[in-house]
Coordinates of all heavy atoms in Angstrom, one line a residue:
M1 N 0.8 -1.2 0.0 CA 0.0 0.0 0.0 C 0.9 1.1 0.0 O 1.8 1.4 0.9 CB -0.9 0.0 1.3 CG -1.8 1.1 1.3 SD -2.9 0.9 2.7 CE -4.5 0.8 2.1
S2 N 0.7 2.1 -1.0 CA 1.6 3.3 -1.1 C 1.1 4.3 -0.2 O 0.0 4.3 0.5 CB 1.5 3.8 -2.5 OG 0.2 4.2 -2.8
R3 N 1.8 5.3 -0.1 CA 1.5 6.6 0.9 C 0.2 7.1 0.4 O -0.7 7.5 1.1 CB 2.6 7.5 0.7 CG 2.4 8.6 1.7 CD 3.5 9.6 1.8 NE 3.2 10.7 2.7 CZ 4.1 11.7 3.0 NH1 5.2 11.7 2.5 NH2 3.6 12.6 3.7
N4 N 0.1 7.3 -1.0 CA -1.3 8.0 -1.5 C -2.4 7.1 -1.2 O -3.5 7.7 -0.8 CB -1.1 8.2 -2.9 CG 0.0 9.3 -3.2 OD1 0.2 10.2 -2.5 ND2 0.5 9.2 -4.5
D5 N -2.3 5.8 -1.2 CA -3.5 5.0 -0.9 C -3.8 5.1 0.6 O -5.0 5.0 1.0 CB -3.1 3.4 -1.2 CG -3.0 3.3 -2.7 OD1 -3.5 4.1 -3.5 OD2 -2.3 2.3 -3.1
R6 N -2.7 5.0 1.4 CA -3.0 5.3 2.8 C -3.6 6.5 3.1 O -4.6 6.6 4.0 CB -1.7 5.1 3.6 CG -1.3 3.6 3.8 CD 0.0 3.6 4.7 NE 1.1 4.1 3.8 CZ 2.4 4.3 4.2 NH1 2.6 3.8 5.5 NH2 3.3 4.8 3.5
E7 N -3.1 7.7 2.5 CA -3.8 8.9 2.8 C -5.2 9.0 2.4 O -6.1 9.5 3.0 CB -3.0 10.0 2.1 CG -1.7 10.4 2.7 CD -0.9 11.4 2.0 OE1 -1.4 11.9 1.0 OE2 0.2 11.7 2.4
A8 N -5.5 8.3 1.2 CA -7.0 8.2 0.6 C -7.8 7.5 1.8 O -8.9 7.9 1.9 CB -6.8 7.7 -0.6
A9 N -7.3 6.4 2.2 CA -8.0 5.6 3.1 C -8.3 6.3 4.4 O -9.4 6.3 4.9 CB -7.2 4.3 3.5
V10 N -7.3 7.1 4.9 CA -7.7 7.8 6.1 C -8.7 9.0 5.9 O -9.6 9.4 6.6 CB -6.3 8.5 6.6 CG1 -6.5 9.6 7.7 CG2 -5.3 7.4 7.1
R11 N -8.5 9.6 4.7 CA -9.5 10.7 4.3 C -10.9 10.1 4.3 O -11.9 10.7 4.7 CB -9.1 11.2 3.0 CG -8.1 12.4 3.0 CD -7.9 13.1 1.8 NE -6.7 14.0 1.9 CZ -5.5 13.7 1.2 NH1 -5.5 12.6 0.6 NH2 -4.5 14.5 1.3
R12 N -11.0 8.9 3.6 CA -12.3 8.2 3.6 C -12.9 8.0 5.0 O -14.1 8.3 5.3 CB -12.4 7.0 2.8 CG -12.5 7.1 1.4 CD -12.6 5.9 0.6 NE -11.7 4.8 1.0 CZ -10.5 4.6 0.4 NH1 -10.1 5.3 -0.6 NH2 -9.8 3.6 0.8
L13 N -12.1 7.5 5.9 CA -12.6 7.3 7.2 C -12.9 8.6 8.0 O -13.8 8.6 8.8 CB -11.4 6.7 8.0 CG -11.2 5.1 7.7 CD1 -9.8 4.6 8.5 CD2 -12.4 4.3 8.1
L14 N -12.1 9.7 7.7 CA -12.5 10.9 8.4 C -13.7 11.6 7.9 O -14.4 12.3 8.6 CB -11.3 11.9 8.3 CG -10.1 11.5 9.0 CD1 -8.9 12.4 8.8 CD2 -10.3 11.4 10.6
E15 N -14.0 11.4 6.6 CA -15.3 11.9 6.0 C -16.6 11.1 6.4 O -17.6 11.8 6.4 CB -15.1 12.0 4.4 CG -14.0 12.9 4.0 CD -13.8 12.7 2.5 OE1 -14.4 11.9 1.9 OE2 -13.0 13.6 2.0
Q16 N -16.5 10.0 6.9 CA -17.6 9.2 7.3 C -18.3 9.9 8.6 O -17.4 10.4 9.4 CB -17.2 7.8 7.6 CG -16.9 7.1 6.4 CD -16.4 5.5 6.7 OE1 -16.5 5.2 8.0 NE2 -16.2 4.8 5.8
A17 N -19.5 9.7 8.7 CA -20.1 10.2 10.0 C -19.7 9.2 11.1 O -19.6 8.1 11.0 CB -21.6 10.1 9.8
P18 N -19.4 9.8 12.3 CA -19.1 9.0 13.4 C -20.2 8.1 13.8 O -21.3 8.4 13.8 CB -18.7 9.9 14.6 CG -19.4 11.2 14.2 CD -19.5 11.3 12.7
R19 N -19.8 6.9 14.3 CA -20.8 5.9 14.7 C -21.3 6.4 16.1 O -20.6 6.9 16.9 CB -20.1 4.6 14.8 CG -19.7 3.9 13.6 CD -19.0 2.7 13.9 NE -18.3 2.1 12.6 CZ -17.6 1.1 12.6 NH1 -17.5 0.3 13.6 NH2 -17.0 0.7 11.4
P20 N -22.7 6.1 16.3 CA -23.3 6.4 17.6 C -22.7 5.4 18.7 O -22.5 4.2 18.4 CB -24.8 6.3 17.4 CG -24.8 5.3 16.2 CD -23.7 5.6 15.4
L21 N -22.5 6.0 19.8 CA -22.0 5.1 21.0 C -23.1 4.9 21.9 O -24.1 5.7 22.1 CB -21.0 5.9 21.7 CG -19.6 6.2 21.1 CD1 -18.7 7.0 21.9 CD2 -18.9 4.8 20.7
P22 N -23.1 3.7 22.5 CA -24.2 3.5 23.5 C -24.1 4.5 24.8 O -23.1 4.9 25.1 CB -23.7 1.9 24.0 CG -23.0 1.5 23.1 CD -22.3 2.6 22.4
P23 N -25.3 4.9 25.3 CA -25.3 5.8 26.2 C -24.6 5.5 27.6 O -24.1 6.3 28.3 CB -26.8 6.1 26.5 CG -27.4 5.1 26.0 CD -26.6 4.4 25.0
E24 N -24.5 4.2 27.9 CA -23.9 3.7 29.2 C -22.4 3.9 29.2 O -21.7 3.9 30.2 CB -24.2 2.3 29.5 CG -23.7 1.3 28.6 CD -24.7 1.0 27.4 OE1 -25.8 1.6 27.3 OE2 -24.3 0.2 26.6
I25 N -21.8 4.1 27.9 CA -20.3 4.2 27.9 C -19.8 5.6 28.5 O -18.8 5.5 29.2 CB -19.8 4.2 26.4 CG1 -20.0 2.6 25.9 CG2 -18.4 4.7 26.3 CD1 -19.5 2.5 24.4
H26 N -20.6 6.6 28.4 CA -20.2 7.9 29.0 C -20.3 7.8 30.5 O -19.3 8.3 31.1 CB -21.2 9.0 28.5 CG -21.0 10.2 29.2 ND1 -19.9 11.2 28.9 CD2 -21.8 10.9 30.1 CE1 -20.0 12.1 29.6 NE2 -21.0 12.0 30.4
A27 N -21.3 7.2 31.0 CA -21.4 7.1 32.4 C -20.2 6.2 33.0 O -19.6 6.6 34.0 CB -22.7 6.4 32.8
E28 N -19.9 5.2 32.4 CA -18.8 4.3 32.7 C -17.4 5.0 32.7 O -16.6 4.9 33.5 CB -18.8 3.1 31.8 CG -17.6 2.1 32.2 CD -17.9 1.3 33.5 OE1 -19.0 1.4 34.0 OE2 -16.9 0.8 34.0
A29 N -17.2 5.9 31.6 CA -16.1 6.6 31.4 C -15.9 7.6 32.6 O -14.7 7.8 33.1 CB -15.9 7.3 30.0
V30 N -16.9 8.3 32.9 CA -16.9 9.3 33.9 C -16.6 8.6 35.3 O -15.8 9.2 36.1 CB -18.3 10.1 34.0 CG1 -18.3 10.9 35.2 CG2 -18.4 10.9 32.8
R31 N -17.2 7.5 35.6 CA -16.8 6.8 36.8 C -15.5 6.4 36.9 O -14.9 6.6 37.9 CB -17.9 5.6 36.9 CG -17.9 4.8 38.2 CD -18.8 3.6 38.2 NE -18.4 2.7 37.3 CZ -17.4 1.8 37.5 NH1 -16.7 1.8 38.6 NH2 -17.2 0.8 36.6
R32 N -15.0 5.8 35.8 CA -13.6 5.3 35.8 C -12.6 6.5 35.9 O -11.6 6.4 36.6 CB -13.2 4.5 34.6 CG -13.9 3.2 34.5 CD -13.4 2.4 33.4 NE -14.0 1.0 33.4 CZ -13.8 0.1 32.5 NH1 -12.9 0.4 31.5 NH2 -14.2 -1.0 32.5
G33 N -13.0 7.6 35.2 CA -12.1 8.9 35.2 C -12.0 9.3 36.6 O -11.0 9.8 37.2
G34 N -13.1 9.4 37.3 CA -13.2 9.9 38.7 C -12.4 9.0 39.7 O -11.7 9.5 40.5
R35 N -12.5 7.7 39.4 CA -11.8 6.8 40.3 C -10.2 6.9 40.1 O -9.4 7.0 41.0 CB -12.2 5.4 40.0 CG -11.5 4.3 40.9 CD -12.0 2.9 40.6 NE -12.8 2.8 39.5 CZ -13.2 1.7 39.0 NH1 -12.5 0.5 39.5 NH2 -13.8 1.4 37.9
M36 N -9.9 7.2 38.8 CA -8.4 7.3 38.4 C -7.9 8.6 39.1 O -6.8 8.6 39.6 CB -8.2 7.4 36.9 CG -8.3 6.0 36.3 SD -8.1 6.0 34.5 CE -7.1 7.3 34.1
L37 N -8.7 9.7 39.1 CA -8.3 11.0 39.6 C -8.1 10.8 41.2 O -7.2 11.3 41.8 CB -9.3 12.0 39.4 CG -9.2 12.6 38.0 CD1 -10.3 13.6 37.8 CD2 -7.9 13.2 37.6
R38 N -9.1 10.2 41.8 CA -8.9 9.9 43.3 C -7.7 9.1 43.6 O -6.9 9.5 44.6 CB -10.2 9.2 43.8 CG -11.5 10.1 43.9 CD -12.5 9.5 44.7 NE -13.0 8.2 44.0 CZ -13.9 8.2 43.1 NH1 -14.4 9.3 42.6 NH2 -14.3 7.0 42.6
R39 N -7.5 8.0 42.8 CA -6.2 7.2 43.1 C -5.0 7.9 42.9 O -4.0 7.9 43.6 CB -6.2 5.9 42.2 CG -7.2 5.0 42.6 CD -7.1 3.8 41.7 NE -8.0 2.7 42.0 CZ -8.3 1.6 41.4 NH1 -7.6 1.4 40.2 NH2 -9.2 0.7 41.8
R40 N -4.9 8.8 41.8 CA -3.8 9.6 41.6 C -3.5 10.6 42.7 O -2.4 10.9 43.2 CB -3.9 10.3 40.3 CG -2.7 11.1 39.9 CD -2.9 11.8 38.5 NE -3.2 10.7 37.5 CZ -3.9 11.0 36.3 NH1 -4.2 12.2 36.1 NH2 -4.0 10.0 35.5
T41 N -4.6 11.2 43.2 CA -4.4 12.2 44.3 C -4.0 11.5 45.5 O -3.1 12.1 46.2 CB -5.8 12.8 44.6 OG1 -6.2 13.5 43.3 CG2 -5.7 14.0 45.6
L42 N -4.5 10.3 45.9 CA -4.2 9.6 47.1 C -2.7 9.2 46.9 O -2.0 9.3 47.9 CB -5.1 8.4 47.3 CG -4.8 7.6 48.4 CD1 -5.0 8.3 49.7 CD2 -5.6 6.2 48.4
A43 N -2.3 8.7 45.8 CA -0.8 8.3 45.6 C 0.1 9.6 45.7 O 1.2 9.5 46.4 CB -0.6 7.7 44.3
R44 N -0.3 10.7 45.2 CA 0.5 11.8 45.3 C 0.7 12.3 46.7 O 1.7 12.6 47.3 CB -0.1 13.0 44.5 CG 0.8 14.2 44.4 CD 0.2 15.4 43.6 NE -0.1 14.9 42.2 CZ -1.3 15.0 41.6 NH1 -2.3 15.6 42.2 NH2 -1.4 14.6 40.4
R45 N -0.4 12.3 47.5 CA -0.5 12.6 48.9 C 0.5 11.6 49.7 O 1.2 12.0 50.7 CB -1.9 12.7 49.5 CG -2.6 13.8 49.1 CD -3.9 14.0 49.7 NE -4.6 15.1 49.2 CZ -6.0 15.3 49.4 NH1 -6.7 14.4 50.0 NH2 -6.6 16.3 48.9
A46 N 0.3 10.3 49.4 CA 1.1 9.4 50.1 C 2.6 9.7 49.8 O 3.4 9.5 50.8 CB 0.7 8.0 49.7
L47 N 3.0 9.9 48.6 CA 4.4 10.2 48.3 C 4.9 11.4 49.0 O 6.1 11.5 49.5 CB 4.5 10.3 46.8 CG 4.5 8.9 46.0 CD1 4.6 9.2 44.5 CD2 5.6 8.0 46.5
W48 N 4.1 12.5 49.0 CA 4.5 13.7 49.8 C 4.7 13.4 51.3 O 5.7 13.8 52.0 CB 3.5 14.8 49.6 CG 3.7 15.6 48.4 CD1 3.0 15.7 47.4 CD2 4.8 16.5 48.1 NE1 3.5 16.5 46.3 CE2 4.6 17.0 46.7 CE3 5.9 16.8 48.8 CZ2 5.6 17.9 46.2 CZ3 6.8 17.7 48.2 CH2 6.7 18.2 47.1
L49 N 3.8 12.5 51.9 CA 3.9 12.2 53.2 C 5.1 11.4 53.5 O 5.9 11.6 54.5 CB 2.6 11.4 53.7 CG 2.6 11.0 55.2 CD1 2.5 12.2 56.0 CD2 1.3 10.1 55.4
L50 N 5.5 10.4 52.6 CA 6.7 9.6 52.7 C 8.0 10.5 52.5 O 8.9 10.3 53.4 CB 6.7 8.6 51.6 CG 7.9 7.6 51.5 CD1 7.9 6.7 52.7 CD2 7.8 6.8 50.3
L51 N 7.9 11.5 51.7 CA 9.1 12.4 51.6 C 9.2 13.2 52.8 O 10.4 13.4 53.3 CB 8.9 13.3 50.4 CG 10.0 14.3 50.2 CD1 11.2 13.7 49.8 CD2 9.6 15.3 49.1
L52 N 8.1 13.7 53.5 CA 8.1 14.4 54.7 C 8.7 13.6 55.7 O 9.5 14.0 56.5 CB 6.7 14.9 54.9 CG 6.6 15.8 56.3 CD1 7.5 17.1 56.1 CD2 5.3 16.1 56.6
A53 N 8.2 12.4 56.0 CA 8.7 11.4 56.9 C 10.2 11.2 56.8 O 11.0 11.1 57.8 CB 7.9 10.2 57.0
A54 N 10.6 10.9 55.6 CA 12.0 10.6 55.3 C 13.0 11.8 55.7 O 13.9 11.7 56.3 CB 12.3 10.3 53.9
S55 N 12.5 13.0 55.2 CA 13.2 14.3 55.6 C 13.3 14.5 57.2 O 14.3 14.9 57.7 CB 12.7 15.5 54.8 OG 11.5 15.8 55.3
L56 N 12.2 14.2 57.8 CA 12.2 14.4 59.3 C 13.1 13.4 59.9 O 13.8 13.8 60.8 CB 10.7 14.2 59.8 CG 10.6 14.4 61.2 CD1 10.9 15.8 61.7 CD2 9.1 14.1 61.7
A57 N 13.1 12.1 59.5 CA 13.9 11.2 60.0 C 15.4 11.5 59.7 O 16.1 11.3 60.6 CB 13.6 9.7 59.5
F58 N 15.8 11.9 58.6 CA 17.1 12.4 58.3 C 17.5 13.5 59.1 O 18.6 13.5 59.7 CB 17.2 12.7 56.9 CG 18.6 13.3 56.5 CD1 19.7 12.3 56.4 CD2 18.8 14.6 56.3 CE1 20.9 12.7 56.1 CE2 20.1 15.1 56.1 CZ 21.1 14.2 56.0
T59 N 16.6 14.4 59.5 CA 16.9 15.5 60.2 C 17.2 15.2 61.7 O 18.2 15.6 62.3 CB 15.9 16.7 60.2 OG1 15.7 17.0 58.8 CG2 16.2 17.8 61.0
V60 N 16.4 14.3 62.2 CA 16.5 13.8 63.6 C 17.9 13.0 63.7 O 18.6 13.2 64.6 CB 15.3 13.0 64.0 CG1 15.5 12.2 65.3 CG2 14.1 13.9 64.2
W61 N 18.1 12.2 62.8 CA 19.3 11.4 62.8 C 20.5 12.3 62.7 O 21.5 12.1 63.4 CB 19.4 10.5 61.6 CG 20.8 9.8 61.4 CD1 21.3 8.8 62.0 CD2 21.8 10.2 60.5 NE1 22.6 8.5 61.7 CE2 22.8 9.4 60.7 CE3 21.8 11.2 59.5 CZ2 24.0 9.5 60.0 CZ3 23.0 11.3 58.8 CH2 24.1 10.5 59.0
A62 N 20.5 13.3 61.8 CA 21.6 14.3 61.7 C 21.9 14.9 63.0 O 23.1 15.3 63.4 CB 21.4 15.1 60.6
L63 N 20.8 15.4 63.6 CA 20.9 16.2 64.9 C 21.5 15.3 66.0 O 22.3 15.8 66.8 CB 19.7 16.7 65.3 CG 19.2 18.0 64.4 CD1 17.9 18.5 64.7 CD2 20.2 19.1 64.5
T64 N 21.2 14.0 66.0 CA 21.6 13.1 67.2 C 23.0 12.5 66.8 O 23.9 12.4 67.7 CB 20.6 11.9 67.4 OG1 20.4 11.4 66.2 CG2 19.4 12.6 67.9
A65 N 23.2 12.2 65.5 CA 24.6 11.5 65.2 C 25.7 12.5 64.9 O 26.8 12.2 65.1 CB 24.4 10.6 64.0
R66 N 25.3 13.8 64.4 CA 26.2 14.9 64.2 C 27.4 14.2 63.3 O 28.5 14.3 63.7 CB 26.7 15.5 65.4 CG 25.6 16.1 66.1 CD 26.0 16.9 67.4 NE 27.4 17.0 67.5 CZ 27.9 17.6 68.6 NH1 27.2 18.4 69.4 NH2 29.2 17.6 69.0
P67 N 27.0 13.8 62.1 CA 28.1 13.2 61.3 C 29.1 14.2 60.7 O 30.2 13.8 60.2 CB 27.3 12.6 60.0 CG 26.1 13.4 60.0 CD 25.7 13.8 61.4
W68 N 28.9 15.6 60.8 CA 29.8 16.5 60.4 C 31.0 16.8 61.4 O 32.0 17.4 61.1 CB 29.2 17.9 60.1 CG 28.4 18.4 61.3 CD1 28.8 19.2 62.1 CD2 27.0 18.1 61.5 NE1 27.9 19.5 63.1 CE2 26.7 18.8 62.7 CE3 25.9 17.4 61.0 CZ2 25.4 18.8 63.3 CZ3 24.7 17.4 61.6 CH2 24.5 18.0 62.7
V69 N 30.8 16.3 62.6 CA 31.8 16.5 63.7 C 32.8 15.4 63.6 O 32.5 14.3 63.5 CB 31.2 16.4 65.1 CG1 32.2 16.6 66.2 CG2 30.2 17.7 65.2
E70 N 34.2 15.8 63.8 CA 35.2 14.9 63.7 C 35.2 14.0 64.9 O 35.2 14.6 66.0 CB 36.5 15.5 63.4 CG 37.6 14.6 63.2 CD 38.9 15.3 62.8 OE1 38.8 16.4 62.3 OE2 40.0 14.8 63.2
P71 N 35.3 12.7 64.8 CA 35.3 11.9 66.2 C 36.6 12.1 66.8 O 37.7 12.4 66.2 CB 35.1 10.5 65.6 CG 35.5 10.4 64.3 CD 35.2 11.9 63.6
P72 N 36.6 12.1 68.1 CA 37.8 12.3 68.9 C 38.8 11.1 68.7 O 38.5 10.0 68.4 CB 37.4 12.3 70.4 CG 36.1 11.5 70.4 CD 35.5 11.8 69.1
S73 N 40.2 11.5 68.6 CA 41.1 10.5 68.4 C 41.3 9.6 69.6 O 41.2 9.9 70.7 CB 42.5 11.3 68.2 OG 43.5 10.3 67.9
E74 N 41.3 8.3 69.3 CA 41.5 7.3 70.3 C 42.9 6.7 70.4 O 43.2 5.9 71.2 CB 40.4 6.2 70.0 CG 39.0 6.7 70.1 CD 38.1 5.6 69.8 OE1 38.5 4.4 69.5 OE2 36.8 5.8 69.7
T75 N 43.8 7.2 69.5 CA 45.2 6.7 69.6 C 46.1 7.5 70.4 O 47.1 7.1 70.9 CB 45.7 6.6 68.2 OG1 45.7 7.8 67.5 CG2 44.8 5.6 67.4
T76 N 45.9 8.7 70.6 CA 46.7 9.6 71.4 C 46.3 9.5 72.9 O 45.1 9.7 73.3 CB 46.6 11.1 71.0 OG1 46.8 11.1 69.4 CG2 47.5 12.0 71.7
P77 N 47.2 9.3 73.8 CA 47.0 9.2 75.2 C 46.5 10.6 75.7 O 46.9 11.7 75.1 CB 48.2 8.8 75.9 CG 49.2 9.1 75.0 CD 48.5 9.0 73.6
P78 N 45.7 10.7 76.7 CA 45.2 12.1 77.3 C 46.5 12.9 77.8 O 47.4 12.1 78.4 CB 44.2 11.8 78.2 CG 44.5 10.4 78.7 CD 45.0 9.7 77.4
L79 N 46.5 14.1 77.7 CA 47.5 15.0 78.3 C 47.2 15.2 79.8 O 46.3 15.8 80.0 CB 47.7 16.2 77.4 CG 48.3 16.1 76.2 CD1 48.3 17.5 75.5 CD2 49.8 15.7 76.2
S80 N 48.1 14.7 80.6 CA 47.9 15.1 82.0 C 49.3 15.3 82.6 O 50.2 14.7 82.4 CB 47.1 14.0 82.7 OG 48.0 12.7 82.6
G81 N 49.3 16.2 83.6 CA 50.6 16.5 84.2 C 51.5 17.4 83.5 O 52.7 17.4 83.6
W82 N 51.0 18.3 82.7 CA 51.8 19.1 82.0 C 52.4 20.2 82.8 O 52.3 21.1 83.4 CB 51.1 19.8 80.8 CG 51.4 19.3 79.5 CD1 50.9 18.3 78.9 CD2 52.3 19.8 78.5 NE1 51.3 18.1 77.7 CE2 52.3 19.0 77.4 CE3 53.4 20.9 78.6 CZ2 53.1 19.3 76.3 CZ3 54.0 21.0 77.5 CH2 54.0 20.4 76.4

């Protein structure tokens, strides 16, 4: 099938009147779309809550462990009697 034949076939399809759809399809699509939006919103909120919990846990860990402070040297004896 050449390109011209394909274009002609597409033009014929587009020029035809659209087929009527059963009325219950619209209600079903609206119901499914609403469910998808609710699920997407719930998933987005859960991910934000997870991100908030992870950042809070990291902050608490950083404040208690203080990884930026150099640990004291354990190889040098303490200076006493100077």
